[in-house]
Amino acid sequence: MTELKSKIFEQALLSQLSKKQVKERVDAYSLPFKELMAYYRCAMMEIETKFRVLSEELSIQYDHNPIETIKTRLKSPESIFDKLTRKNLPLTAQGIEENLNDIAGIRVICSFPSDIYRLADSFLKQDDVFLLERKDYIKNPKENGYRSLHLIVETPIFLHDCKKMMKAEVQFRTISMDWWASTEHKIRYKKDIAEDGSIDRELVECARLAAELDSRMEDIQRAVQSNL
């Protein structure tokens, strides 16, 4: 009932405002959000460029390109505000910047697990990349079988009149890890999984087999390199 009264009051208040006043109020909320999202896009571009430079340099040093693909994504407004609401956090640009670390996401897909750690180490050695959090789900997979290396980092973007530090989440996966995670999400998304746990067990087993395949392929690659 309180929520209904609040909506009625809000509608009554808006009816008293001119179109110009309504636009000004909307802009007061939307413009800071648009500006912040632009900063996150800049951070993604900065980090993506860093990995493309590393890929060029390491492909010469190690005679193979360690990066298969680089994917970037900006969290949708709906996902952002859902997360803020669930956590009872302020629905403001400041609330986003201070409390959420995964608005900007960069996913680096590699051929082999060793490439992941080599790239992550090289990336973190850069003097304008600051590690805030590290979660290694390769050495310590999640219960559902998920494997990936996650880094929360902070890096500067250079605007026309200042430098601004921005947070981003960087995920490292092999091709098989990425295939498993994407397929597992499609299987689970908005579907009722059998309560007996049989599907869960099958998915975990598929993750284990994917990890075993990664290991075997890397062993083959090392054997080939040693014979050159």
Side-chain angles (χ1 to χ4, degrees), residues 31-50:
L31 289 179
F33 177 79
K34 290 179 180 177
E35 186 178 67
L36 183 60
M37 292 303 104
Y39 293 159
Y40 279 120
R41 281 192 291 271
C42 291
M44 289 192 301
M45 289 188 284
E46 289 277 357
I47 293 173
E48 183 178 4
T49 298
K50 288 177 180 296

Side-chain angles (χ1 to χ4, degrees), residues 164-217:
K164 184 172 179 62
M165 300 300 294
M166 299 299 298
K167 297 174 187 175
E169 180 184 55
V170 183
Q171 296 179 355
F172 297 86
R173 297 176 184 172
T174 62
I175 299 167
S176 64
M177 291 174 195
D178 190 56
W179 167 81
W180 181 90
S182 298
T183 307
E184 188 261 2
H185 178 73
K186 290 176 183 176
I187 291 171
R188 288 185 181 278
Y189 185 62
K190 291 187 177 179
K191 293 183 177 66
D192 294 325
I193 301 298
E195 293 183 4
D196 63 4
S198 59
I199 301 297
D200 290 334
R201 288 192 292 273
E202 281 294 314
L203 289 169
V204 171
E205 176 62 10
C206 286
R208 187 192 68 77
L209 291 171
E212 182 180 333
L213 183 61
D214 270 340
S215 179
R216 292 177 67 177
M217 291 294 282

Side-chain angles (χ1 to χ4, degrees), residues 112 215-228:
F112 306 108
S215 179
R216 292 177 67 177
M217 291 294 282
E218 187 157 32
D219 287 343
I220 293 169
Q221 193 259 355
R222 286 172 178 163
V224 169
Q225 289 294 322
S226 66
N227 290 327
L228 290 179

